[in-house]
Amino acid sequence: KLMQDRETKRLKLETEKLIHILNECLTIVEDFKEENQEYLFQKLNVELVSSLQNLQDTKSDVSIPIQMLTLVDNGASPELYAMTLRDQCVQANEQVSGQVVALRNLRSSLESEIGESFPEDWTKFLTETQKVVN
């Protein structure tokens, strides 16, 4: 657990460094002046490549969903992805809970109907299943 926390922190730190370098490059490109060309090349060829290599070298089991990266690329907050995912999980949980209730009701109805239609067999079945459970 401790090792995983360290790896996650390192991944976060390396990702933040990369974002910072990319923002600096963006600023240089947006306000491009020929005298900044050498500085831009240094940023791209040294710092950016180094940062990408450090990020790749980070040994971590953390995977970042492509949907979240797409949202971030479009200017949205990563928290939006987390909230959307949570809402989807809640909705799926409610759906599964409804299915469980429906199956329990079906089981109850079937047991009732079988008990009425085949009382002797049903009693024998219940007796046998009680022996197996105990």
Side-chain angles (χ1 to χ4, degrees):
K1 176 79 176 155
L2 182 61
M3 183 67 126
Q4 196 174 35
D5 288 343
R6 286 184 191 159
E7 290 173 355
T8 302
K9 285 181 183 178
R10 182 168 178 231
L11 178 64
K12 181 180 177 186
L13 180 66
E14 291 299 331
T15 304
E16 288 171 351
K17 284 181 185 178
L18 177 62
I19 290 170
H20 179 73
I21 292 169
L22 288 171
N23 281 331
E24 286 180 344
C25 290
L26 178 65
T27 302
I28 294 168
V29 169
E30 285 177 342
D31 300 330
F32 186 74
K33 295 178 183 155
E34 198 166 326
E35 61 264 14
N36 291 338
Q37 184 173 356
E38 190 63 37
Y39 182 66
L40 177 61
F41 287 158
Q42 178 200 357
K43 281 280 183 199
L44 293 174
N45 292 329
V46 178
E47 292 182 39
L48 181 62
V49 171
S50 174
S51 181
L52 288 170
Q53 185 64 47
N54 289 342
L55 190 61
Q56 184 176 4
D57 291 344
T58 303
K59 291 185 169 70
S60 177
D61 292 334
V62 175
S63 63
I64 301 172
I66 202 75
Q67 298 90 344
M68 185 176 80
L69 294 176
T70 303
L71 282 174
V72 171
D73 280 346
N74 292 331
S77 169
E79 286 82 19
L80 177 63
Y81 176 78
M83 290 185 322
T84 303
L85 191 60
R86 185 205 63 209
D87 292 344
Q88 290 172 350
C89 288
V90 167
Q91 184 180 12
N93 186 40
E94 289 172 356
Q95 183 179 8
V96 169
S97 294
Q99 290 172 343
V100 168
V101 168
L103 286 172
R104 285 183 181 152
N105 290 340
L106 176 63
R107 178 182 178 177
S108 177
S109 294
L110 288 173
E111 288 175 348
S112 176
E113 289 295 321
I114 290 171
E116 289 176 16
S117 300
F118 308 100
E120 293 172 11
D121 292 333
W122 184 244
T123 304
K124 182 178 178 184
F125 172 77
L126 289 176
T127 305
E128 293 297 320
T129 55
Q130 282 295 8
K131 289 179 185 176
V132 172
V133 171
N134 293 333

